[in-house]
Amino acid sequence: PTTLVTGATGFLAGHCVDQLLKAGHNVIGTVRNPAKAERLTQALQSSVDSGKLTLETVKDIQNEAEFEALFKKHPKLDYILHTASPFNFTAEDPEEEMLKPAIQGTLSVLKTAKAHAPNVKKIVITSSVASNLDVATFYDPNTTYTEKSWNPMTWEQAAEKGNPFANYMGSKLYAEKAGIEFRDKEKPQFSITWINPTYILGPGVALDMSALNTSNEVLANVLGSKKGQDPEGVAGWFVDVRDCARAHVVALKPELDGERLLLATAKFCTQDIEDIANKIPEFHGKIAIGNPANREKELNHASQCDASYSKKLLDIDWIPFNKTVEDFANQWYEQHK
Ligand code: NDP
């Protein structure tokens, strides 16, 4: 099969590309940043050389003309993984920088695939647990989120200036809603599955530690700390990036058409990162140690996720948190020593 991955230079997308290639797919990846494209090419050189991986420039995912040209150039696409979406907390103009790229980016892929990619059977869209959560109970350990939960945020809240967290959450919520509306109204020839991950963490295929993706900063903040420092405490749920990519590939099967899959392997907190990292010889005794007595309190500063429905459907052997942290730490160390 031939599969298109949007935003191929992204942290998650790199693993999606890698796993699709390993599963025998031909992969077309869209890219917008030549330096990041070069890193990915180097990491997956043999697939590029053999013609299994082709990178194509799509400067703006909102631009339907660019996708139309892409689909005309590659008329035999079977599947699409739409992962590209802005993920940062720096937007100054929320509508232009977060909401529109997420929503129009999704719609331009769906619209042009319907019109110009008749062979596409399935599109898997990366949504987020941000589309399930409610900011009012985000930190409440007595609230449990599932695949059925929906973020009740209004458009005004999503577009609020000076609130980048809400802007990101809203971008994922409204992009997911736009996709559902498109499917229901336009009845395209392909089916859609949404993947809603919690914190995606772990090593990258072509990760540049000097321009790290947003979620891995929770790990880097500990690895880059000094002994005696106290990095900001974070608690939440995680999925290893390799499992998240695996879920995108498994979701291509027709049995998972229309599903909204929540990915949450386990709960973690900054103390766990400190405990695991301090057992790695390169970091032992050099970085923050936190206070193990506070672990339970820290863990309680986050709501619960019950992803058992998705876990049953996906049947993945989920990578545990210590391996996620260790593998990322090794990569971090290689680029910092
Ligand atoms: P990255 O920032 O590494 O990847 C985002 C990708 O989207 C990059 O390839 C980026 O391109 C591309 N992109 C962003 N904005 C645009 C735009 N306006 N036009 C074209 N391309 C754009 O983050 P992740 O890999 O972590 O995120 C991948 C997906 O997973 C996103 O949809 C994100 O919302 C979702 N997600 C991530 C979670 C996490 O914890 N990491 C949790 C839940 C969901 P470029 O490489 O050129 O910057």
Side-chain angles (χ1 to χ4, degrees):
T2 301
T3 302
L4 177 75
V5 179
T6 66
T9 49
F11 165 54
L12 165 65
H15 286 280
C16 292
V17 170
D18 186 43
Q19 291 188 21
L20 287 166
L21 289 167
K22 286 180 178 142
H25 292 234
N26 289 311
V27 179
I28 319 284
T30 75
V31 299
R32 60 172 180 169
N33 175 331
K36 287 180 85 174
E38 182 53 32
R39 266 186 99 87
L40 185 65
T41 299
Q42 278 175 14
L44 300 170
Q45 192 71 55
S46 62
S47 298
V48 174
D49 292 344
S50 65
K52 296 290 249 173
L53 172 61
T54 308
L55 300 183
E56 297 283 7
T57 300
V58 171
K59 285 213 182 77
D60 181 2
I61 46 167
Q62 300 171 71
N63 186 345
E64 292 176 26
E66 289 193 80
F67 278 109
E68 186 178 333
L70 181 76
F71 290 138
K72 287 196 169 143
K73 188 171 174 190
H74 299 282
K76 294 247 165 73
L77 288 178
D78 297 288
Y79 304 111
I80 300 175
L81 304 187
H82 177 51
T83 78
S85 202
F87 185 15
N88 57 67
F89 299 118
T90 59
E92 286 174 15
D93 184 338
E95 293 206 24
E96 284 304 314
E97 293 171 55
M98 291 303 290
L99 294 162
K100 273 179 64 189
I103 299 163
Q104 292 306 327
T106 302
L107 286 176
S108 76
V109 171
L110 296 177
K111 275 188 203 168
T112 51
K114 181 178 181 228
H116 305 287
N119 291 347
V120 169
K121 295 181 265 297
K122 177 74 172 263
I123 302 188
V124 175
I125 300 179
T126 319
S127 185
S128 168
V129 71
S131 179
N132 303 63
L133 294 170
D134 178 348
V135 280
T137 49
F138 190 68
Y139 299 111
D140 174 13
N142 298 315
T143 298
T144 301
Y145 291 97
T146 72
E147 294 80 1
K148 293 199 174 81
S149 311
W150 280 93
N151 180 347
M153 191 179 263
T154 63
W155 179 264
E156 287 66 34
Q157 291 168 325
E160 188 190 351
K161 284 216 164 98
N163 193 347
F165 187 66
N167 305 147
Y168 174 68
M169 293 198 43
S171 78
K172 300 307 289 183
L173 169 69
Y174 282 97
E176 194 181 329
K177 284 186 167 176
I180 294 173
E181 196 180 315
F182 176 91
R183 178 197 63 190
D184 294 347
K185 272 199 187 146
E186 299 291 328
K187 309 210 174 343
Q189 74 279 14
F190 48 79
S191 48
I192 307 177
T193 297
W194 285 266
I195 306 271
N196 295 34
T198 51
Y199 274 97
I200 308 172
L201 302 176
V205 167
L207 213 52
D208 178 359
M209 294 293 172
S210 63
L212 197 56
N213 67 290
T214 300
S215 53
N216 269 331
E217 281 169 11
V218 303
L219 303 180
N221 283 346
V222 172
L223 300 174
S225 67
K226 301 256 176 311
K227 194 175 178 180
Q229 284 182 338
D230 189 15
E232 187 197 348
V234 171
W237 290 75
F238 91 102
V239 58
D240 187 281
V241 64
R242 294 157 288 189
D243 290 341
C244 186
R246 171 76 52 223
H248 281 70
V249 179
V250 173
L252 292 175
K253 65 180 181 186
E255 292 85 342
L256 297 185
D257 286 359
E259 296 286 355
R260 182 185 199 223
L261 302 166
L262 183 60
L263 307 186
T265 302
K267 207 176 193 186
F268 76 95
C269 64
T270 299
Q271 187 63 50
D272 295 325
I273 306 170
E274 289 163 341
D275 291 350
I276 296 163
N278 271 291
K279 289 198 186 103
I280 304 170
E282 287 80 4
F283 294 92
H284 179 77
K286 297 181 185 139
I287 57 170
I289 54 170
N291 181 356
N294 289 340
R295 179 172 180 265
E296 287 307 316
K297 204 171 131 213
E298 204 174 301
L299 272 181
N300 256 335
H301 197 56
S303 43
Q304 314 299 336
C305 267
D306 178 359
S308 50
Y309 173 79
S310 301
K311 282 185 168 157
K312 202 168 162 207
L313 289 178
L314 286 163
D315 193 22
I316 289 172
D317 192 8
W318 303 92
I319 295 171
F321 193 58
N322 64 315
K323 180 162 173 59
T324 302
V325 176
E326 284 158 11
D327 290 352
F328 178 84
N330 285 334
Q331 207 172 45
W332 194 94
Y333 184 74
E334 285 304 313
Q335 291 190 33
H336 281 88
K337 69 183 176 193

